[in-house]
Amino acid sequence: AKAEADAAAAAKALADAQAAAAKSAEDHAQSDFETQQLKDKVDALQKSLDTVTAAKEAAIKAQHNALMQANLATQQLHSVLGGSQDITTQGCKCAASYTYNGAEMKGCIPAGENMMAGGKKWCVTDGMCGSSLGDGQFFDTCAIPTTRGCSCRRDWMTKGNPVDGCTEERSAGKPWCKVRELSCGEQNGDGAWWDYCAK
C-alpha cells in the first residue's frame, strides 16, 4: 500500500511538473509574441519618423533653394537697375559700416591692399554677396558714380564696341557711360540712358 501511495505521489508530482513546464512554455511563447509585437510597432514608428524627418529635410532644402534663387534674382535685378550708390556692380548692398585691416570703414574705399578689387573702389557687402575676403566678410566693387547721381553699368556696348565703366568715345576729355537707372541722365537715340562720369 505504501508503495502504491508513493507511486501515486510520484505520478502526481510528475504531472504537476509537466503542467508547470507547459504553463511556463505557454507564458514564454506569449511573452515572445508580445515582444515581437512591440518590436514590430517600434520598427513601424521608426520608419514613420524617418519618413517625416526626410520630408522635413527636403522641405527645408527646397525653402533654402527658393530663398537663394529669390536673392539671386533680386541681386541680378539690382545689378542692372542700380538705384543707389551703395548698390555694387553685382547688385550687392554695401554694409553700413565694416572693419578692414583693423579700421572702421563706411561706403566705398580705394582698392588699396585688396588686390582682388582690380584697382577699383570696393566695399564690404551685406550677407554673403560678392566675393570672399577670406576673413568671413564678402566684398564687391562699387559702381562708378555719374555727375547726376546715376551709376554706370559694369559692361555695355557703344557702336558695337564693349565698354567696362566709362569711355571717352565721341567725347574727348569727358568720360561717360550708360547708366543702370532708368530716367537718370540723358536718353540717347537707341533709348538707353547715359551720363558723364563723376571724377
Side-chain angles (χ1 to χ4, degrees), residues 58-127:
I60 291 173
K61 184 176 181 180
Q63 182 184 36
H64 174 74
N65 289 339
L67 287 173
M68 289 291 288
Q69 291 298 320
N71 288 338
L72 180 59
T74 301
Q75 178 184 330
Q76 291 172 337
L77 181 64
H78 284 163
S79 71
V80 173
L81 297 180
S84 65
Q85 292 300 322
D86 62 352
I87 300 297
T88 67
T89 53
Q90 295 185 59
C92 309
K93 184 176 177 61
C94 290
S97 63
Y98 52 93
T99 301
Y100 182 67
N101 282 347
E104 287 293 323
M105 303 288 186
K106 288 184 179 182
C108 298
I109 60 175
E113 297 177 8
N114 184 1
M115 302 300 293
M116 295 182 290
K120 298 178 180 179
K121 288 187 175 183
W122 63 280
C123 67
V124 168
T125 60
D126 284 338

Short mmCIF file of all heavy atoms in Angstrom, two decimals, residues 58-127:
data_model
loop_
_atom_site.label_atom_id
_atom_site.label_comp_id
_atom_site.label_asym_id
_atom_site.label_seq_id
_atom_site.Cartn_x
_atom_site.Cartn_y
_atom_site.Cartn_z
N ALA A 58 13.78 67.66 -46.77
CA ALA A 58 13.55 68.04 -48.17
C ALA A 58 12.85 69.39 -48.26
O ALA A 58 13.17 70.21 -49.12
CB ALA A 58 12.72 66.96 -48.86
N ALA A 59 11.89 69.63 -47.35
CA ALA A 59 11.17 70.90 -47.34
C ALA A 59 12.11 72.06 -46.98
O ALA A 59 12.06 73.13 -47.59
CB ALA A 59 10.00 70.85 -46.36
N ILE A 60 12.98 71.83 -45.98
CA ILE A 60 13.95 72.86 -45.58
C ILE A 60 14.90 73.17 -46.73
O ILE A 60 15.21 74.34 -47.02
CB ILE A 60 14.73 72.42 -44.34
CG1 ILE A 60 13.79 72.38 -43.12
CG2 ILE A 60 15.91 73.33 -44.06
CD1 ILE A 60 14.42 71.79 -41.87
N LYS A 61 15.36 72.11 -47.42
CA LYS A 61 16.28 72.30 -48.55
C LYS A 61 15.59 73.06 -49.68
O LYS A 61 16.17 73.97 -50.29
CB LYS A 61 16.76 70.95 -49.05
CG LYS A 61 17.79 71.04 -50.16
CD LYS A 61 18.31 69.68 -50.57
CE LYS A 61 19.35 69.80 -51.67
NZ LYS A 61 19.87 68.47 -52.08
N ALA A 62 14.32 72.71 -49.96
CA ALA A 62 13.57 73.39 -51.01
C ALA A 62 13.36 74.86 -50.67
O ALA A 62 13.48 75.74 -51.53
CB ALA A 62 12.22 72.70 -51.23
N GLN A 63 13.05 75.13 -49.38
CA GLN A 63 12.87 76.52 -48.95
C GLN A 63 14.18 77.29 -49.08
O GLN A 63 14.18 78.45 -49.53
CB GLN A 63 12.39 76.54 -47.50
CG GLN A 63 12.12 77.95 -46.97
CD GLN A 63 11.73 77.94 -45.50
OE1 GLN A 63 12.25 77.15 -44.72
NE2 GLN A 63 10.81 78.81 -45.12
N HIS A 64 15.29 76.66 -48.68
CA HIS A 64 16.59 77.30 -48.78
C HIS A 64 16.92 77.62 -50.24
O HIS A 64 17.37 78.73 -50.56
CB HIS A 64 17.67 76.39 -48.19
CG HIS A 64 19.07 76.90 -48.37
ND1 HIS A 64 19.58 77.95 -47.65
CD2 HIS A 64 20.06 76.51 -49.22
CE1 HIS A 64 20.82 78.18 -48.02
NE2 HIS A 64 21.14 77.33 -48.98
N ASN A 65 16.67 76.65 -51.14
CA ASN A 65 16.95 76.87 -52.56
C ASN A 65 16.08 77.98 -53.13
O ASN A 65 16.54 78.79 -53.94
CB ASN A 65 16.73 75.57 -53.35
CG ASN A 65 17.79 74.53 -53.06
OD1 ASN A 65 18.88 74.86 -52.60
ND2 ASN A 65 17.49 73.27 -53.32
N ALA A 66 14.81 78.02 -52.70
CA ALA A 66 13.89 79.06 -53.18
C ALA A 66 14.37 80.44 -52.72
O ALA A 66 14.34 81.40 -53.49
CB ALA A 66 12.48 78.79 -52.69
N LEU A 67 14.82 80.54 -51.47
CA LEU A 67 15.33 81.81 -50.94
C LEU A 67 16.60 82.24 -51.68
O LEU A 67 16.78 83.42 -51.99
CB LEU A 67 15.60 81.69 -49.44
CG LEU A 67 14.37 81.64 -48.53
CD1 LEU A 67 14.78 81.35 -47.09
CD2 LEU A 67 13.59 82.95 -48.60
N MET A 68 17.47 81.25 -51.96
CA MET A 68 18.70 81.55 -52.68
C MET A 68 18.38 82.07 -54.08
O MET A 68 19.00 83.03 -54.55
CB MET A 68 19.57 80.30 -52.77
CG MET A 68 20.19 79.88 -51.44
SD MET A 68 21.47 81.01 -50.85
CE MET A 68 22.78 80.64 -52.00
N GLN A 69 17.41 81.42 -54.75
CA GLN A 69 17.03 81.85 -56.09
C GLN A 69 16.41 83.25 -56.07
O GLN A 69 16.66 84.08 -56.94
CB GLN A 69 16.04 80.85 -56.71
CG GLN A 69 16.66 79.50 -57.04
CD GLN A 69 17.76 79.60 -58.08
OE1 GLN A 69 17.65 80.35 -59.03
NE2 GLN A 69 18.83 78.84 -57.90
N ALA A 70 15.57 83.50 -55.04
CA ALA A 70 14.94 84.82 -54.92
C ALA A 70 16.00 85.89 -54.66
O ALA A 70 15.95 86.98 -55.25
CB ALA A 70 13.92 84.81 -53.78
N ASN A 71 16.97 85.58 -53.79
CA ASN A 71 18.04 86.54 -53.50
C ASN A 71 18.89 86.80 -54.74
O ASN A 71 19.29 87.94 -55.00
CB ASN A 71 18.92 86.03 -52.36
CG ASN A 71 18.23 86.09 -51.02
OD1 ASN A 71 17.29 86.85 -50.83
ND2 ASN A 71 18.69 85.30 -50.07
N LEU A 72 19.16 85.73 -55.49
CA LEU A 72 19.96 85.88 -56.70
C LEU A 72 19.23 86.73 -57.74
O LEU A 72 19.82 87.59 -58.38
CB LEU A 72 20.29 84.50 -57.29
CG LEU A 72 21.12 84.50 -58.58
CD1 LEU A 72 22.47 85.18 -58.34
CD2 LEU A 72 21.33 83.07 -59.08
N ALA A 73 17.91 86.48 -57.88
CA ALA A 73 17.11 87.27 -58.83
C ALA A 73 17.10 88.75 -58.43
O ALA A 73 17.24 89.63 -59.28
CB ALA A 73 15.69 86.72 -58.89
N THR A 74 16.95 89.00 -57.12
CA THR A 74 16.97 90.39 -56.63
C THR A 74 18.33 91.03 -56.88
O THR A 74 18.42 92.19 -57.31
CB THR A 74 16.66 90.42 -55.12
OG1 THR A 74 15.37 89.85 -54.90
CG2 THR A 74 16.67 91.85 -54.59
N GLN A 75 19.38 90.26 -56.61
CA GLN A 75 20.74 90.77 -56.83
C GLN A 75 20.97 91.10 -58.30
O GLN A 75 21.52 92.15 -58.64
CB GLN A 75 21.74 89.71 -56.37
CG GLN A 75 23.19 90.08 -56.58
CD GLN A 75 24.13 88.94 -56.20
OE1 GLN A 75 23.81 88.15 -55.31
NE2 GLN A 75 25.25 88.85 -56.85
N GLN A 76 20.54 90.20 -59.20
CA GLN A 76 20.71 90.43 -60.64
C GLN A 76 19.91 91.65 -61.09
O GLN A 76 20.38 92.44 -61.92
CB GLN A 76 20.30 89.19 -61.42
CG GLN A 76 21.26 88.01 -61.22
CD GLN A 76 20.75 86.73 -61.84
OE1 GLN A 76 19.54 86.55 -62.04
NE2 GLN A 76 21.65 85.82 -62.15
N LEU A 77 18.71 91.81 -60.53
CA LEU A 77 17.90 92.97 -60.87
C LEU A 77 18.57 94.26 -60.43
O LEU A 77 18.64 95.24 -61.17
CB LEU A 77 16.52 92.84 -60.22
CG LEU A 77 15.53 93.98 -60.49
CD1 LEU A 77 15.20 94.04 -61.98
CD2 LEU A 77 14.27 93.80 -59.67
N HIS A 78 19.12 94.26 -59.21
CA HIS A 78 19.82 95.43 -58.70
C HIS A 78 21.05 95.75 -59.53
O HIS A 78 21.38 96.93 -59.74
CB HIS A 78 20.23 95.21 -57.24
CG HIS A 78 19.09 95.32 -56.29
ND1 HIS A 78 19.16 94.84 -54.99
CD2 HIS A 78 17.85 95.84 -56.41
CE1 HIS A 78 18.02 95.06 -54.38
NE2 HIS A 78 17.20 95.66 -55.23
N SER A 79 21.76 94.71 -60.00
CA SER A 79 22.97 94.95 -60.79
C SER A 79 22.64 95.65 -62.09
O SER A 79 23.45 96.40 -62.64
CB SER A 79 23.71 93.64 -61.07
OG SER A 79 22.98 92.84 -62.00
N VAL A 80 21.43 95.40 -62.61
CA VAL A 80 21.01 96.02 -63.87
C VAL A 80 20.39 97.39 -63.64
O VAL A 80 20.68 98.36 -64.36
CB VAL A 80 20.00 95.11 -64.61
CG1 VAL A 80 19.43 95.82 -65.83
CG2 VAL A 80 20.67 93.80 -65.00
N LEU A 81 19.55 97.51 -62.61
CA LEU A 81 18.81 98.75 -62.39
C LEU A 81 19.46 99.72 -61.42
O LEU A 81 19.07 100.88 -61.34
CB LEU A 81 17.39 98.42 -61.89
CG LEU A 81 16.51 97.62 -62.85
CD1 LEU A 81 15.15 97.38 -62.23
CD2 LEU A 81 16.35 98.35 -64.18
N GLY A 82 20.47 99.24 -60.66
CA GLY A 82 21.13 100.13 -59.70
C GLY A 82 20.14 100.62 -58.66
O GLY A 82 19.49 99.84 -57.98
N GLY A 83 20.01 101.93 -58.55
CA GLY A 83 19.04 102.51 -57.62
C GLY A 83 19.66 103.40 -56.58
O GLY A 83 19.04 104.35 -56.11
N SER A 84 20.90 103.13 -56.22
CA SER A 84 21.60 103.99 -55.26
C SER A 84 23.08 103.66 -55.31
O SER A 84 23.49 102.62 -55.84
CB SER A 84 21.07 103.77 -53.84
OG SER A 84 21.33 102.46 -53.40
N GLN A 85 23.90 104.57 -54.76
CA GLN A 85 25.34 104.41 -54.84
C GLN A 85 25.85 103.23 -53.99
O GLN A 85 26.97 102.78 -54.18
CB GLN A 85 26.03 105.70 -54.39
CG GLN A 85 25.82 106.85 -55.36
CD GLN A 85 26.36 106.58 -56.75
OE1 GLN A 85 27.40 105.96 -56.90
NE2 GLN A 85 25.65 107.02 -57.77
N ASP A 86 25.04 102.75 -53.05
CA ASP A 86 25.51 101.63 -52.22
C ASP A 86 25.15 100.28 -52.83
O ASP A 86 25.35 99.24 -52.20
CB ASP A 86 24.98 101.74 -50.79
CG ASP A 86 23.46 101.69 -50.71
OD1 ASP A 86 22.80 101.70 -51.76
OD2 ASP A 86 22.94 101.62 -49.58
N ILE A 87 24.61 100.28 -54.06
CA ILE A 87 24.38 99.02 -54.79
C ILE A 87 25.59 98.78 -55.67
O ILE A 87 25.94 99.60 -56.52
CB ILE A 87 23.10 99.10 -55.65
CG1 ILE A 87 21.87 99.35 -54.77
CG2 ILE A 87 22.93 97.80 -56.44
CD1 ILE A 87 21.58 98.25 -53.77
N THR A 88 26.27 97.65 -55.47
CA THR A 88 27.53 97.38 -56.15
C THR A 88 27.32 96.87 -57.57
O THR A 88 26.19 96.71 -58.03
CB THR A 88 28.33 96.33 -55.35
OG1 THR A 88 27.62 95.08 -55.41
CG2 THR A 88 28.51 96.75 -53.90
N THR A 89 28.44 96.59 -58.25
CA THR A 89 28.36 96.18 -59.65
C THR A 89 27.61 94.86 -59.83
O THR A 89 27.00 94.62 -60.86
CB THR A 89 29.77 96.04 -60.26
OG1 THR A 89 30.56 95.18 -59.44
CG2 THR A 89 30.45 97.39 -60.37
N GLN A 90 27.68 93.96 -58.82
CA GLN A 90 26.96 92.70 -58.91
C GLN A 90 25.58 92.76 -58.26
O GLN A 90 24.91 91.74 -58.13
CB GLN A 90 27.77 91.58 -58.25
CG GLN A 90 29.08 91.26 -58.96
CD GLN A 90 29.78 90.08 -58.34
OE1 GLN A 90 29.25 88.97 -58.28
NE2 GLN A 90 31.00 90.28 -57.86
N GLY A 91 25.17 93.95 -57.84
CA GLY A 91 23.84 94.08 -57.24
C GLY A 91 23.80 93.81 -55.76
O GLY A 91 22.73 93.64 -55.18
N CYS A 92 24.97 93.75 -55.12
CA CYS A 92 25.01 93.59 -53.66
C CYS A 92 24.76 94.97 -53.03
O CYS A 92 24.69 95.98 -53.72
CB CYS A 92 26.37 93.07 -53.21
SG CYS A 92 26.93 91.57 -54.08
N LYS A 93 24.66 94.98 -51.73
CA LYS A 93 24.48 96.24 -51.00
C LYS A 93 25.65 96.43 -50.04
O LYS A 93 25.98 95.52 -49.27
CB LYS A 93 23.16 96.22 -50.22
CG LYS A 93 22.85 97.53 -49.49
CD LYS A 93 21.48 97.46 -48.83
CE LYS A 93 21.17 98.72 -48.03
NZ LYS A 93 21.14 99.93 -48.86
N CYS A 94 26.28 97.59 -50.12
CA CYS A 94 27.40 97.87 -49.21
C CYS A 94 26.90 97.86 -47.77
O CYS A 94 25.82 98.38 -47.47
CB CYS A 94 28.00 99.24 -49.51
SG CYS A 94 28.91 99.36 -51.05
N ALA A 95 27.71 97.27 -46.89
CA ALA A 95 27.37 97.27 -45.46
C ALA A 95 27.42 98.71 -44.95
O ALA A 95 28.20 99.54 -45.43
CB ALA A 95 28.35 96.41 -44.69
N ALA A 96 26.55 99.01 -43.98
CA ALA A 96 26.51 100.37 -43.43
C ALA A 96 27.86 100.77 -42.86
O ALA A 96 28.30 101.91 -43.00
CB ALA A 96 25.42 100.46 -42.37
N SER A 97 28.53 99.85 -42.21
CA SER A 97 29.89 100.07 -41.70
C SER A 97 30.56 98.71 -41.57
O SER A 97 29.88 97.68 -41.45
CB SER A 97 29.86 100.78 -40.34
OG SER A 97 29.20 99.99 -39.37
N TYR A 98 31.87 98.69 -41.61
CA TYR A 98 32.60 97.43 -41.54
C TYR A 98 34.04 97.70 -41.10
O TYR A 98 34.50 98.85 -41.10
CB TYR A 98 32.58 96.69 -42.88
CG TYR A 98 33.01 97.54 -44.06
CD1 TYR A 98 34.33 97.54 -44.49
CD2 TYR A 98 32.09 98.32 -44.76
CE1 TYR A 98 34.74 98.31 -45.58
CE2 TYR A 98 32.48 99.10 -45.84
CZ TYR A 98 33.81 99.08 -46.25
OH TYR A 98 34.20 99.85 -47.32
N THR A 99 34.71 96.63 -40.72
CA THR A 99 36.11 96.74 -40.29
C THR A 99 37.01 96.08 -41.32
O THR A 99 36.77 94.96 -41.75
CB THR A 99 36.31 96.04 -38.92
OG1 THR A 99 35.44 96.65 -37.95
CG2 THR A 99 37.75 96.18 -38.46
N TYR A 100 38.05 96.81 -41.72
CA TYR A 100 39.03 96.25 -42.66
C TYR A 100 40.42 96.68 -42.23
O TYR A 100 40.68 97.86 -41.98
CB TYR A 100 38.75 96.74 -44.09
CG TYR A 100 39.69 96.17 -45.12
CD1 TYR A 100 39.67 94.81 -45.42
CD2 TYR A 100 40.63 96.98 -45.77
CE1 TYR A 100 40.54 94.27 -46.36
CE2 TYR A 100 41.50 96.45 -46.71
CZ TYR A 100 41.45 95.09 -47.00
OH TYR A 100 42.32 94.54 -47.94
N ASN A 101 41.31 95.71 -42.08
CA ASN A 101 42.67 95.96 -41.60
C ASN A 101 42.66 96.72 -40.27
O ASN A 101 43.48 97.61 -40.04
CB ASN A 101 43.48 96.73 -42.64
CG ASN A 101 43.97 95.83 -43.76
OD1 ASN A 101 43.92 94.61 -43.66
ND2 ASN A 101 44.43 96.43 -44.85
N GLY A 102 41.68 96.38 -39.42
CA GLY A 102 41.63 96.97 -38.09
C GLY A 102 41.01 98.35 -38.02
O GLY A 102 40.95 98.93 -36.94
N ALA A 103 40.55 98.88 -39.16
CA ALA A 103 39.97 100.22 -39.16
C ALA A 103 38.49 100.16 -39.52
O ALA A 103 38.05 99.31 -40.30
CB ALA A 103 40.71 101.12 -40.16
N GLU A 104 37.71 101.05 -38.92
CA GLU A 104 36.29 101.13 -39.23
C GLU A 104 36.10 101.88 -40.55
O GLU A 104 36.67 102.95 -40.76
CB GLU A 104 35.55 101.88 -38.11
CG GLU A 104 35.40 101.08 -36.82
CD GLU A 104 34.48 99.87 -36.97
OE1 GLU A 104 33.47 99.99 -37.71
OE2 GLU A 104 34.78 98.83 -36.40
N MET A 105 35.30 101.30 -41.43
CA MET A 105 35.09 101.87 -42.76
C MET A 105 33.59 102.04 -43.03
O MET A 105 32.75 101.36 -42.46
CB MET A 105 35.68 100.95 -43.84
CG MET A 105 37.15 100.66 -43.68
SD MET A 105 38.16 102.11 -44.05
CE MET A 105 39.80 101.40 -43.96
N LYS A 106 33.29 102.95 -43.96
CA LYS A 106 31.93 103.15 -44.44
C LYS A 106 31.96 103.38 -45.94
O LYS A 106 32.88 104.03 -46.46
CB LYS A 106 31.27 104.37 -43.76
CG LYS A 106 30.92 104.16 -42.31
CD LYS A 106 30.19 105.39 -41.75
CE LYS A 106 29.80 105.17 -40.29
NZ LYS A 106 29.05 106.34 -39.76
N GLY A 107 30.97 102.84 -46.64
CA GLY A 107 30.87 103.08 -48.08
C GLY A 107 32.00 102.48 -48.88
O GLY A 107 32.68 101.54 -48.45
N CYS A 108 32.24 103.05 -50.06
CA CYS A 108 33.26 102.55 -50.98
C CYS A 108 34.63 103.12 -50.62
O CYS A 108 34.75 104.30 -50.30
CB CYS A 108 32.90 102.92 -52.41
SG CYS A 108 31.34 102.20 -52.97
N ILE A 109 35.64 102.27 -50.68
CA ILE A 109 37.01 102.70 -50.33
C ILE A 109 37.94 102.33 -51.49
O ILE A 109 37.64 101.45 -52.29
CB ILE A 109 37.49 102.05 -49.02
CG1 ILE A 109 37.49 100.52 -49.15
CG2 ILE A 109 36.62 102.49 -47.85
CD1 ILE A 109 38.06 99.81 -47.93
N PRO A 110 39.10 103.01 -51.60
CA PRO A 110 40.06 102.70 -52.66
C PRO A 110 40.53 101.25 -52.57
O PRO A 110 40.51 100.64 -51.50
CB PRO A 110 41.22 103.68 -52.39
CG PRO A 110 40.59 104.79 -51.62
CD PRO A 110 39.53 104.15 -50.78
N ALA A 111 40.99 100.72 -53.70
CA ALA A 111 41.39 99.32 -53.75
C ALA A 111 42.44 98.98 -52.69
O ALA A 111 42.35 97.96 -52.02
CB ALA A 111 41.92 98.98 -55.14
N GLY A 112 43.45 99.86 -52.55
CA GLY A 112 44.47 99.64 -51.52
C GLY A 112 45.10 98.27 -51.59
O GLY A 112 45.58 97.84 -52.65
N GLU A 113 45.07 97.54 -50.48
CA GLU A 113 45.70 96.23 -50.41
C GLU A 113 44.80 95.10 -50.94
O GLU A 113 45.23 93.97 -51.02
CB GLU A 113 46.10 95.92 -48.97
CG GLU A 113 47.13 96.88 -48.39
CD GLU A 113 47.44 96.58 -46.94
OE1 GLU A 113 46.97 95.54 -46.43
OE2 GLU A 113 48.14 97.38 -46.30
N ASN A 114 43.58 95.43 -51.29
CA ASN A 114 42.66 94.41 -51.80
C ASN A 114 42.93 94.20 -53.29
O ASN A 114 42.32 94.83 -54.15
CB ASN A 114 41.21 94.83 -51.57
CG ASN A 114 40.23 93.75 -51.99
OD1 ASN A 114 40.61 92.67 -52.45
ND2 ASN A 114 38.94 94.03 -51.85
N MET A 115 43.86 93.29 -53.59
CA MET A 115 44.25 93.05 -54.97
C MET A 115 43.08 92.50 -55.80
O MET A 115 43.03 92.67 -57.02
CB MET A 115 45.42 92.06 -55.01
CG MET A 115 46.64 92.53 -54.23
SD MET A 115 47.32 94.10 -54.84
CE MET A 115 47.89 93.60 -56.44
N MET A 116 42.13 91.84 -55.13
CA MET A 116 41.00 91.25 -55.85
C MET A 116 40.05 92.30 -56.41
O MET A 116 39.22 92.00 -57.27
CB MET A 116 40.24 90.28 -54.93
CG MET A 116 41.04 89.07 -54.52
SD MET A 116 40.10 87.91 -53.48
CE MET A 116 39.95 88.86 -51.95
N ALA A 117 40.17 93.53 -55.94
CA ALA A 117 39.29 94.60 -56.42
C ALA A 117 39.71 95.12 -57.78
O ALA A 117 38.98 95.91 -58.40
CB ALA A 117 39.24 95.73 -55.41
N GLY A 118 40.88 94.70 -58.26
CA GLY A 118 41.33 95.10 -59.59
C GLY A 118 41.55 96.59 -59.74
O GLY A 118 41.34 97.15 -60.82
N GLY A 119 41.96 97.24 -58.67
CA GLY A 119 42.23 98.67 -58.73
C GLY A 119 41.00 99.54 -58.61
O GLY A 119 41.10 100.78 -58.66
N LYS A 120 39.83 98.94 -58.44
CA LYS A 120 38.59 99.71 -58.36
C LYS A 120 38.15 99.89 -56.91
O LYS A 120 38.54 99.12 -56.03
CB LYS A 120 37.48 98.99 -59.13
CG LYS A 120 37.77 98.82 -60.61
CD LYS A 120 36.66 98.05 -61.30
CE LYS A 120 36.95 97.89 -62.79
NZ LYS A 120 35.89 97.12 -63.48
N LYS A 121 37.37 100.93 -56.68
CA LYS A 121 36.81 101.11 -55.34
C LYS A 121 35.90 99.93 -55.01
O LYS A 121 35.29 99.33 -55.89
CB LYS A 121 36.03 102.42 -55.26
CG LYS A 121 36.91 103.66 -55.27
CD LYS A 121 36.09 104.92 -55.02
CE LYS A 121 36.98 106.14 -54.91
NZ LYS A 121 36.19 107.37 -54.60
N TRP A 122 35.81 99.64 -53.73
CA TRP A 122 35.03 98.48 -53.31
C TRP A 122 34.47 98.72 -51.91
O TRP A 122 34.80 99.68 -51.24
CB TRP A 122 35.89 97.22 -53.33
CG TRP A 122 37.05 97.29 -52.36
CD1 TRP A 122 38.25 97.92 -52.54
CD2 TRP A 122 37.10 96.74 -51.04
NE1 TRP A 122 39.03 97.80 -51.43
CE2 TRP A 122 38.36 97.08 -50.48
CE3 TRP A 122 36.20 96.00 -50.26
CZ2 TRP A 122 38.74 96.70 -49.20
CZ3 TRP A 122 36.58 95.62 -48.98
CH2 TRP A 122 37.84 95.96 -48.47
N CYS A 123 33.61 97.79 -51.49
CA CYS A 123 33.06 97.85 -50.13
C CYS A 123 32.75 96.45 -49.65
O CYS A 123 32.57 95.53 -50.45
CB CYS A 123 31.80 98.71 -50.07
SG CYS A 123 30.38 97.99 -50.96
N VAL A 124 32.71 96.28 -48.34
CA VAL A 124 32.22 95.03 -47.75
C VAL A 124 30.70 95.04 -47.90
O VAL A 124 30.06 96.07 -47.73
CB VAL A 124 32.62 94.92 -46.26
CG1 VAL A 124 31.86 93.78 -45.58
CG2 VAL A 124 34.12 94.71 -46.14
N THR A 125 30.13 93.89 -48.27
CA THR A 125 28.70 93.82 -48.56
C THR A 125 27.92 93.16 -47.43
O THR A 125 28.49 92.47 -46.58
CB THR A 125 28.46 93.01 -49.85
OG1 THR A 125 28.99 91.68 -49.67
CG2 THR A 125 29.16 93.66 -51.03
N ASP A 126 26.62 93.39 -47.46
CA ASP A 126 25.74 92.70 -46.51
C ASP A 126 25.62 91.23 -46.91
O ASP A 126 25.55 90.91 -48.10
CB ASP A 126 24.34 93.34 -46.52
CG ASP A 126 24.30 94.66 -45.77
OD1 ASP A 126 25.18 94.89 -44.92
OD2 ASP A 126 23.40 95.47 -46.06
N GLY A 127 25.58 90.37 -45.91
CA GLY A 127 25.37 88.95 -46.18
C GLY A 127 26.57 88.32 -46.89
O GLY A 127 27.71 88.76 -46.74
#
